[in-house]
Amino acid sequence: MAQRAIPKEIEEKMQKAKDMKPEDMLFTYKGVLYPSLLCKPENFKAMERFEAIEDDILLVAYPKCGFNWMSHVLKKISDAAHGKRGETAQFTLLEFADPEKLQNLSKLPSQRIMGTHVQPKDIPASFFEKKTKVLVIFRNPKDTAVSYFHFYNKNPALPAFDSWDKFFSQYMSGEVMLGSYFDHAVAWEKHIDSDTVKIITYEDMIENLTEGIQQVARFFSLTLSDEQVQAIAQESTFEAMKNKSKETHGQMGNVIFRKGGVGDWKNHFSEEQSKELDTKFEQCLAGTKLGAKLKYEVHCK
């Protein structure tokens, strides 16, 4: 049986969202919007005190950049490397964990696998102090925007947008949940040469999933056989995960898994919007190592 990725309590909160007013679905903490059903200010205060250990695994991504996909891949890699079969503890999203859950997480044995959508400055300092390895996945900003738009409109815990144009405007200004894509990108660019941070891209993983799995395993010093790599790749294609999404993610499966491809932005962006984002990319990431990794000319032109 596939391991359940979305706890039932989150599904229960999704049900509560049906009775909420759109203006109550998000709250601001330190200038950034978060989902009020899943996050509380006390969660972030508890995060600040969280103690990482060196062999923890931390996955980070701006929303809709492949986070759920990579959390699945990481658990598969860890299980295979440690000779387990679906025994990895529940993947924990740090900002969704209340103080009690974070306390319980602190008591778990290694190797703990955790994730977050927050910027480096909001990640518990202990991850950097202990030199815990951090895997960051980025996706090209145009496809990220389109995926995020649909995620907003299919997710009962978020206020829907009545038009793509309105969403695009707020995406560009950073007035969406978790803030600006480009703020995240600029912040992680500063860590790109760190031995404990590895940045991969959604597009590279799509293009060569087998090689991506091998790179991630090596980064975390986990040994896999060729047969294990192939098995993980077969179980981790978008199609395979979407087919099992009801089993693994419950009602959130249809929210999380949509198309999973590259280039859908062309079906949504106007020429003016495309040029506006091109200009923003030039201002924020042109000439940077992360900018080069994103292969903007290939995926966004």
Side-chain angles (χ1 to χ4, degrees):
M1 180 177 290
Q3 186 178 14
R4 192 168 182 79
I6 301 293
K8 284 187 177 180
E9 63 189 84
I10 290 185
E11 289 196 338
E12 291 169 359
K13 289 181 178 180
M14 296 300 104
Q15 291 295 325
K16 292 181 181 178
K18 295 177 181 179
D19 298 322
M20 294 182 68
K21 296 178 181 178
E23 59 267 26
D24 295 331
M25 290 180 170
L26 295 170
F27 77 99
T28 302
Y29 185 77
K30 292 185 177 180
V32 178
L33 289 170
Y34 294 96
S36 56
L37 271 174
L38 301 175
C39 300
K40 303 294 179 187
E42 53 263 33
N43 294 20
F44 295 98
K45 293 173 183 175
M47 273 177 65
E48 293 176 5
R49 301 188 297 271
F50 183 79
E51 286 297 323
I53 55 179
E54 188 176 351
D55 73 344
D56 282 338
I57 288 176
L58 183 65
L59 172 66
V60 185
Y62 183 78
K64 308 313 298 174
C65 285
F67 183 87
N68 282 283
W69 181 27
M70 283 310 303
S71 68
H72 166 91
V73 171
L74 279 173
K75 286 186 286 187
K76 290 286 185 184
I77 290 173
S78 180
D79 282 351
H82 293 108
K84 300 178 181 179
R85 298 187 62 178
E87 299 169 21
T88 302
Q90 179 70 51
F91 181 89
T92 301
L93 195 66
L94 293 175
E95 59 266 33
F96 286 7
D98 61 29
E100 182 181 356
K101 285 187 179 178
L102 284 178
Q103 184 64 32
N104 291 336
L105 179 61
S106 297
K107 300 173 184 176
L108 291 179
S110 60
Q111 187 173 43
R112 304 178 301 186
I113 304 178
M114 295 162 279
T116 185
H117 291 305
V118 302
Q119 291 189 37
K121 64 182 176 61
D122 296 317
I123 289 174
S126 58
F127 281 96
F128 298 105
E129 293 165 356
K130 299 291 178 62
K131 299 190 181 300
T132 303
K133 288 188 175 179
V134 180
L135 179 69
V136 186
I137 183 165
F138 267 101
R139 186 181 193 179
N140 81 71
K142 291 185 179 179
D143 278 331
T144 298
V146 169
S147 184
Y148 211 179
F149 167 66
H150 288 288
F151 181 74
Y152 251 91
N153 281 3
K154 292 170 71 176
N155 192 331
L158 295 177
F161 282 87
D162 55 18
S163 72
W164 156 253
D165 289 346
K166 185 173 181 180
F167 173 83
F168 176 79
S169 176
Q170 292 189 208
Y171 175 79
M172 291 300 293
S173 64
E175 297 174 83
V176 291
M177 185 178 68
L178 273 300
S180 164
Y181 170 100
F182 288 100
D183 285 352
H184 281 251
V186 169
W188 280 110
E189 164 66 24
K190 297 173 183 176
H191 294 264
I192 202 165
D193 291 323
S194 169
D195 292 336
T196 59
V197 174
K198 181 174 181 62
I199 298 179
I200 59 175
T201 69
Y202 180 92
E203 292 77 15
D204 284 349
M205 292 293 291
I206 288 280
E207 185 175 338
N208 194 335
L209 182 54
T210 299
E211 172 60 24
I213 291 168
Q214 291 171 329
Q215 284 187 25
V216 170
R218 285 195 296 268
F219 175 64
F220 289 109
S221 301
L222 297 173
T223 302
L224 300 176
S225 67
D226 291 341
E227 291 77 14
Q228 287 174 318
V229 170
Q230 291 299 326
I232 293 169
Q234 289 173 8
E235 295 170 355
S236 304
T237 63
F238 180 82
E239 292 76 15
M241 291 186 66
K242 187 170 184 177
N243 288 339
K244 286 190 174 183
S245 63
K246 188 172 182 180
E247 182 181 350
T248 58
H249 292 75
Q251 67 172 337
M252 288 297 291
N254 289 332
V255 177
I256 293 170
F257 299 99
R258 193 177 67 91
K259 288 188 174 181
V262 179
D264 191 36
W265 66 269
K266 296 174 184 177
N267 298 317
H268 294 74
F269 275 65
S270 67
E271 184 176 351
E272 181 180 333
Q273 289 169 341
S274 183
K275 289 180 179 178
E276 181 180 346
L277 204 149
D278 291 346
T279 299
K280 185 74 171 179
F281 184 89
E282 284 293 317
Q283 291 171 345
C284 297
L285 293 173
T288 66
K289 291 182 179 180
L290 177 56
K293 269 185 172 291
L294 287 169
K295 299 176 183 175
Y296 193 85
E297 291 294 323
V298 174
H299 301 303
C300 293
K301 294 290 189 177

